[in-house]
Amino acid sequence: MPKLLSKAPAKKAASKSSSAKAIKRVFFFGNGKAEGMASAPTEKDRKLILGGKGAGLADMTSAGLPVPPGFTISVPCCEEYYRDGRKISDAVKKEVIENLAKVEKAMGKKLGDPNDPLLVSVRSGAARSMPGMMETILNLGLNDKSVEGLAARTGNPRFAYDAYRRFIQMYSTTAMGLSKEPMEHLLSGIKNKLGVKTDPEIPADSLKELCQQFKKFYSENMKGQEFPQNPLDQLWGAIGAVFGSWEADKAVTYRRVEKISDLTGTGVNVQTMVFGNKGDNSGTGVCFTRDPNSGANEFYGDYLINAQGEDVVAGIRTPLKLATLNDKMPKVYKQLMAVRKQLETHYKDMQDLEFTVEEEKLYMLQCRSGKRSPVAIFKIAVDLVKEKLLTKEQAIDRINPEDIERLFYPQLDAKTAAGATKLATGINAVPGAACGKVAFTAATAEAEAAKGEKVILVRKETSPEDVGGMHAAQGILTVTGGKTSHAAVVARGWGKCCIVGCEALDIASDNLSFKVGDKVVKAGDSITLDGNTGDVYVGSLPLKAPEQPEAFYTLMKWCDELRTLKVRTNADTPYDAVNAVKMGAEGIGLCRTEHMFFDTEERRLAIQEMIVAESVEKRKEALAKLLPFQRQDFVGIFKAMDGKPVTIRLIDPPLHEFTPKDDAGFQKLSQITGLSIEHIKHRCEQLHESNPMLGHRGCRLCITYPEILDMQVTAIIEGAIEVAKAGGKVFPEIMIPLTIDRKELEIQVIQTKALADKLIKAAGSKVKYMVGTMIEIPRAALLADKIAEVAEFFSFGTNDLTQMTLGLSRDDAGRFLPVYVASEKDGGKGIFKADPFQSLDQEGVGMLVKMGIQKGRSTRPGLKVGICGEHGGESASVKFCHAAGMNYVSCSPYRVPIARLAAAQAAIADKAAAKAKKK
Ligand code: PEP
Ligand code: MG
């Protein structure tokens, strides 16, 4: 792209050297031709230079559609504007004037001409659409003289003064930042005086009077300055306002929320005005080439007769359904239908169009890829393949992971949320929405839910002991923690809305209320969580139920046909397993057995008894109580998975996480064990560790208490034998967690195999199993060749691997990681592109993963490798796993479709790269 101000605009544009002259900043469209089409041949290139709106206008012009002539000040000029201290450079001004002359020539009119003025609109347009976030000014070029000329020329003074009052209003508020309300007030005042309800009822004289009032208001609030009468001054003011709106709070916030970080500014489109407010044979509308809610192939939209564009968007008047335009102006409607077809065929996507009809003549003002509901995203993608506009690969590539997530979670209605009282904002750990009564303990949550109440569990942080209450709750809110904290990991597994790290919450020590500033929320009061944004609201707001359209299943099937990477799930219960299979899981990649100990009080007490036991015999007695529970759980899971591989991990977390925490708990355990309460308390204190994440956890537990391994392996193998005997297919993979050394693993592999083989032989069974390990400590990745000599498979536990490679606590890093992740523009330091606990740190942790796979396969060719950390359900990480040569990824049931999509997209990218290489 030689002459476009694109790749390195900053230095070139600032330079006064002759090469700066060669840079093209402003692009004309009109008379059937648009500049920039040859030098920016793809739609993406054009959007980067012209912005979305500018690219659409250029495309439509070149396609011969009726587009009023105009020009686009390119996006890089916005960067230049900010670099020059919010100034429009002379170079831009020069090109604007040249292009204005072209527009004037095309229209046979001049800006500001007192007899027959050219009027223009000045609109924003970044490469990605940010609807309503930036500014627009219409009817520019009107002044006290040209308004008279317009009135005379059109023979319609009402129209002329309506246009002028709109321009003064927009320019004052948008370009000069004056408050909107007083001007709206003046408008209402005129309507009240006349006794009319709507704007079109205001006659010309009154509109003229309103213009005077507006101008008076302007000069009173602009230190005596008169409203600008020179059209060029108006133009520079309007262009500056549009550039300035790129950094307005709402635009900055929108980009943060939408995670738009790769754009540098907005383009500005200056275009000949056409008028939908010239009477009943004129109008303006917004339409979608397909229904953006359902995705149905039906023309969809609204329009207003005798109105200008902003009237439709602002919702001042109730618009009419597009279909009725066929009755009112059949010729225009037919033409619009043809435009619809032409643009969909050109862009191979649903388009969002803006049009104006001026005295029965149609003009197209905008086309862009239309925003649509999650349901419509799938429906449209699948339909476009059926209509042969897209290939399956192209359709799959258009889907984003969030599109899938949004299909599954109940949603908060944006309109409802806008009118609600926001309490606080935390970290949006699991999307969706939930509302219910506040419960501060897991026990209350369970008790209330058992009574049929909807509950939100609010905790400082959650621990495995809370799982009952977490499961019973509609949503979870914690004061501390990050996106891979316990609460987030568990909630995600259930598709349950969860907000963590909501540090503004101050939970009272009696656990009966929390405070945010001076607002107090008591146990039993209702709140609503929006897991998409991390916002917490007062009261119970209505939620929308999710739907999965047929098209979703079709598209997922296409993904499965194309991908090579398998997708498993992290599931601890038969319920989760069944759910995950429905989502397309091809096995279980991680069953965290410790989660099974918290289901009932009986299990909790048995594990606590095991922990406080002070002799091997006592420990074995307690373990014997747990055995039947675990065996039954495994039977359930094996049945649910019906022959699919099931990776069961032996117990992992530090034992003190299982100990009782309150007097009632101590007392219960004392009754069961016959030990004194003091004795139990003392034992629990002994078990306390300063650094539990690096302490007595993982396979270190079974190294020191081998009887735990015996019980768990017995439960797994006996469960498998039972299911196999009943005719079921089973394939258990026993996984040793947190390995750091070959010998450490070997001891446990030998113990596991000896016991498993003995049980299988004794039962006369043919059950096959594997024994492998997690790679979640850097040392294990570094020594993977040695470890693979004894491990039959690897599963990368990237939650711990991230924690230990980066030296960041996965539970606490949420407190400062946002500063590392947020860009400098957003007040952060931009150290990481993404939270490494969510999206794999491919540079650092990824290096260990690649090394681990390569080393592991060097001593065990064909070693089966997967991932079971949270990254296994994150799109970019899944693509990395594909490239690294893993066999499968494993993730929470609700993220299985996301992983299937990402795996397919990775395979598609591979094929495309191979094809490009061949060429
Ligand atoms: C991991 O560390 O990535 C893992 C899956 O184990 P857990 O999250 O249970 O520590
Ligand atoms: Mg781990």
Side-chain angles (χ1 to χ4, degrees):
M1 284 177 256
K3 287 191 177 159
L4 302 177
L5 182 63
S6 59
K7 289 245 162 77
K11 278 181 217 132
K12 282 194 177 174
S15 127
K16 293 223 164 48
S17 76
S18 57
S19 70
K21 285 196 191 105
I23 295 163
K24 188 162 174 54
R25 292 172 167 81
V26 180
F27 296 81
F28 178 73
F29 55 87
N31 304 334
K33 282 203 186 103
E35 290 177 339
M37 306 297 282
S39 16
T42 69
E43 192 192 332
K44 196 171 159 213
D45 286 342
R46 280 200 294 284
K47 278 189 181 168
L48 285 174
I49 296 157
L50 302 174
K53 192 184 295 266
L57 289 167
D59 283 348
M60 289 195 293
T61 304
S62 294
L65 296 181
V67 177
F71 55 88
T72 303
I73 306 168
S74 63
V75 173
C77 298
C78 186
E79 289 172 64
E80 204 178 21
Y81 172 83
Y82 283 103
R83 208 185 38 244
D84 292 353
R86 295 190 180 237
K87 247 186 79 206
I88 305 167
S89 71
D90 290 345
V92 170
K93 283 190 175 174
K94 184 171 168 283
E95 286 190 45
V96 165
I97 288 169
E98 284 164 9
N99 278 276
L100 182 62
K102 285 191 200 172
V103 177
E104 288 176 335
K105 191 167 170 220
M107 295 306 297
K109 293 181 184 195
K110 284 208 169 308
L111 195 72
D113 184 333
N115 299 316
D116 184 15
L118 169 76
L119 302 188
V120 293
S121 62
V122 181
R123 295 161 169 238
S124 61
R128 274 172 63 186
S129 107
M130 298 169 48
M133 297 301 137
M134 290 183 291
E135 301 301 352
T136 292
I137 292 174
L138 303 179
N139 307 329
L140 188 142
L142 281 175
N143 55 24
D144 294 352
K145 288 203 177 104
S146 62
V147 68
E148 292 289 349
L150 185 69
R153 191 87 192 177
T154 56
N156 192 343
R158 194 209 163 270
F159 154 73
Y161 279 98
D162 187 42
Y164 195 26
R165 71 94 188 162
R166 285 170 191 266
F167 171 56
I168 304 172
Q169 209 171 346
M170 278 186 160
Y171 190 87
S172 308
T173 55
T174 302
M176 295 300 144
L178 299 185
S179 170
K180 282 189 176 144
E181 284 73 33
M183 299 187 94
E184 284 297 334
H185 206 72
L186 291 172
L187 176 63
S188 315
I190 292 261
K191 281 197 272 193
N192 289 344
K193 202 169 107 188
L194 293 166
V196 300
K197 286 215 168 79
T198 63
D199 298 354
E201 294 170 272
I202 310 174
D205 282 356
S206 303
L207 287 169
K208 196 171 177 179
E209 185 191 330
L210 187 60
C211 289
Q212 293 303 338
Q213 291 182 8
F214 279 175
K215 282 190 294 172
K216 187 163 166 268
F217 169 80
Y218 181 93
S219 93
E220 278 168 7
N221 288 278
M222 292 294 295
K223 298 188 184 141
Q225 266 181 52
E226 293 302 319
F227 186 79
Q229 295 291 309
N230 178 342
L232 268 189
D233 288 345
Q234 297 173 351
L235 188 57
W236 305 137
I239 293 170
V242 173
F243 279 150
S245 67
W246 175 254
E247 286 295 348
D249 285 352
K250 61 179 174 178
V252 171
T253 308
Y254 182 84
R255 291 197 292 276
R256 181 165 46 76
V257 171
E258 289 286 305
K259 299 196 178 73
I260 301 175
S261 57
D262 53 340
L263 301 187
T264 50
T266 177
V268 181
N269 299 289
V270 179
Q271 188 177 20
T272 305
M273 282 294 303
V274 282
F275 299 97
N277 54 339
K278 269 195 173 172
D280 287 347
N281 59 355
S282 303
T284 186
V286 175
C287 55
F288 293 85
T289 54
R290 297 182 189 226
D291 184 328
N293 293 324
S294 69
N297 191 359
E298 285 158 14
F299 207 12
Y300 178 103
D302 291 327
Y303 72 102
L304 281 173
I305 292 286
N306 196 11
Q308 276 201 335
E310 81 272 16
D311 297 342
V312 182
V313 184
I316 306 165
R317 285 161 57 192
T318 310
L320 304 165
K321 291 273 152 283
L322 189 64
T324 64
L325 186 65
N326 197 17
D327 307 328
K328 295 195 192 292
M329 299 181 206
K331 248 171 77 190
V332 169
Y333 186 76
K334 206 167 148 217
Q335 208 185 342
L336 201 55
M337 285 294 269
V339 170
R340 169 196 183 207
K341 176 121 203 317
Q342 187 178 349
L343 289 176
E344 266 211 351
T345 312
H346 175 80
Y347 287 111
K348 302 179 193 319
D349 197 10
M350 183 262 255
Q351 296 296 298
D352 164 356
L353 310 175
E354 268 180 40
F355 66 91
T356 283
V357 181
E358 182 178 322
E359 295 172 333
E360 302 238 351
K361 185 167 169 19
L362 175 72
Y363 292 98
M364 298 309 300
L365 302 182
Q366 176 171 291
C367 77
R368 62 181 174 199
S369 191
K371 299 233 181 251
R372 59 206 83 175
S373 74
V375 169
I377 286 172
F378 286 89
K379 168 96 175 112
I380 291 171
V382 168
D383 282 355
L384 290 176
V385 173
K386 289 185 184 156
E387 291 162 31
K388 301 208 175 349
L389 281 174
L390 290 183
T391 61
K392 287 181 184 174
E393 284 85 350
Q394 286 168 328
I396 289 170
D397 268 341
R398 284 206 181 159
I399 308 289
N400 292 312
E402 301 79 40
D403 302 334
I404 296 183
E405 282 190 12
R406 288 177 188 144
L407 270 188
F408 284 89
Y409 297 104
Q411 299 293 324
L412 193 61
D413 207 320
K415 276 193 210 135
T416 322
T421 313
K422 198 195 288 181
L423 258 182
T425 302
I427 298 169
N428 49 346
V430 185
C435 51
K437 294 184 170 176
V438 170
F440 288 100
T441 66
T444 354
E446 276 183 275
E448 291 297 310
K451 285 191 236 156
E453 293 289 357
K454 288 195 165 153
V455 181
I456 302 290
L457 180 63
V458 181
R459 305 277 293 150
K460 183 164 182 301
E461 74 240 324
T462 61
S463 76
E465 272 191 84
D466 294 329
V467 286
M470 291 170 75
H471 198 249
Q474 302 294 308
I476 296 137
L477 171 62
T478 67
V479 180
T480 60
K483 285 192 178 176
T484 55
S485 63
H486 174 265
V489 170
V490 175
R492 193 169 295 126
W494 296 328
K496 195 160 287 204
C497 167
C498 176
I499 297 175
V500 296
C502 192
E503 306 218 348
L505 252 65
D506 183 6
I507 301 181
S509 52
D510 58 6
N511 251 347
L512 288 175
S513 64
F514 71 75
K515 264 200 326 206
V516 180
D518 53 8
K519 286 200 193 87
V520 179
V521 175
K522 296 200 198 92
D525 288 352
S526 290
I527 59 168
T528 299
L529 310 184
D530 186 347
N532 296 330
T533 58
D535 293 332
V536 182
Y537 294 92
V538 178
S540 216
L541 305 182
L543 304 182
K544 293 195 294 188
E547 296 171 53
Q548 284 90 52
E550 193 51 42
F552 164 73
Y553 295 100
T554 308
L555 198 120
M556 283 292 120
K557 204 173 109 249
W558 295 344
C559 288
D560 295 344
E561 287 162 13
L562 290 165
R563 70 187 160 90
T564 50
L565 188 68
K566 298 258 179 233
V567 178
R568 296 194 190 182
T569 190
N570 296 354
D572 315 323
T573 63
Y575 171 84
D576 286 351
V578 169
N579 210 6
V581 171
K582 280 192 206 143
M583 299 282 175
E586 296 163 297
I588 289 182
L590 173 63
C591 171
R592 291 177 165 103
T593 49
E594 63 272 9
H595 286 182
M596 298 168 158
F597 296 137
F598 285 99
D599 258 15
T600 61
E601 188 178 41
E602 212 174 357
R603 290 172 182 220
R604 276 198 289 268
L605 286 169
I607 188 108
Q608 287 173 352
E609 195 180 335
M610 188 274 286
I611 292 165
V612 295
E614 276 165 312
S615 69
V616 177
E617 279 63 40
K618 286 273 175 221
R619 204 160 23 248
K620 283 187 175 167
E621 269 173 36
L623 285 165
K625 291 186 191 167
L626 285 171
L627 177 65
F629 297 127
Q630 286 242 292
R631 189 171 42 221
Q632 265 335 98
D633 287 337
F634 295 136
V635 166
I637 286 179
F638 291 140
K639 280 188 184 158
M641 294 313 282
D642 193 23
K644 295 182 178 68
V646 177
T647 307
I648 297 166
R649 181 181 73 183
L650 303 187
I651 191 166
D652 180 9
L655 288 182
H656 86 256
E657 277 195 15
F658 298 95
T659 54
K661 303 280 183 293
D662 54 21
D663 286 348
F666 291 127
Q667 209 166 1
K668 263 259 157 66
L669 193 54
S670 159
Q671 279 163 13
I672 300 256
T673 55
L675 297 168
S676 72
I677 293 185
E678 276 60 45
H679 190 104
I680 291 173
K681 279 190 178 167
H682 177 68
R683 180 81 180 118
C684 291
E685 272 162 26
Q686 275 182 335
L687 283 166
H688 181 79
E689 294 174 299
S690 321
N691 232 333
M693 274 293 185
L694 305 177
H696 197 190
R697 63 175 286 221
C699 65
R700 298 156 210 169
L701 285 169
C702 293
I703 286 285
T704 46
Y705 300 147
E707 50 282 3
I708 300 180
L709 184 144
D710 284 345
M711 185 282 283
Q712 290 204 291
V713 170
T714 305
I716 296 166
I717 298 296
E718 286 184 352
I721 292 170
E722 187 181 321
V723 175
K725 274 210 171 133
K729 281 194 214 137
V730 270
F731 194 65
E733 296 173 344
I734 300 171
M735 182 154 78
I736 316 281
L738 232 61
T739 297
I740 48 179
D741 188 75
R742 179 193 191 282
K743 181 156 183 198
E744 179 196 39
L745 181 65
E746 191 177 27
I747 292 169
Q748 297 176 78
V749 171
I750 291 172
Q751 188 188 340
T752 301
K753 286 194 169 172
L755 177 58
D757 291 346
K758 195 174 96 189
L759 292 169
I760 293 168
K761 197 166 166 209
S765 171
K766 289 205 167 67
V767 162
K768 294 261 177 298
Y769 68 94
M770 284 172 99
V771 188
T773 186
M774 291 187 75
I775 303 289
E776 47 188 341
I777 297 207
R779 190 177 196 273
L782 294 169
L783 301 177
D785 45 349
K786 298 215 167 75
I787 288 177
E789 286 166 5
V790 279
E792 290 175 301
F793 64 87
F794 280 178
S795 176
F796 281 88
T798 44
N799 299 335
D800 275 312
L801 193 58
T802 300
Q803 168 166 260
M804 302 205 203
T805 305
L806 277 75
L808 297 177
S809 157
R810 55 194 270 192
D811 290 329
D812 304 315
R815 292 188 186 168
F816 53 86
L817 265 182
V819 176
Y820 274 63
V821 176
S823 69
E824 283 163 58
K825 264 190 187 166
D826 289 336
K829 303 278 183 205
I831 296 168
F832 293 142
K833 283 212 177 72
D835 180 336
F837 288 104
Q838 273 179 68
S839 187
L840 193 78
D841 159 35
Q842 297 185 17
E843 200 184 358
V845 179
M847 191 190 281
L848 282 172
V849 171
K850 283 196 260 183
M851 181 194 291
I853 297 174
Q854 183 255 318
K855 284 195 147 215
R857 288 187 179 150
S858 72
T859 52
R860 191 183 287 267
L863 176 77
K864 179 149 75 169
V865 180
I867 183 175
C868 61
E870 285 300 291
H871 307 93
E874 193 274 334
S875 182
S877 313
V878 172
K879 290 175 184 169
F880 169 85
C881 294
H882 168 96
M886 283 194 194
N887 301 86
Y888 69 87
V889 293
S890 186
C891 55
S892 325
Y894 286 93
R895 292 170 91 186
V896 166
I898 293 173
R900 288 161 71 195
L901 172 77
Q905 289 175 338
I908 292 167
D910 265 5
K911 265 196 205 160
K915 211 168 151 192
K917 213 170 161 193
K918 256 191 194 166
K919 277 185 189 165

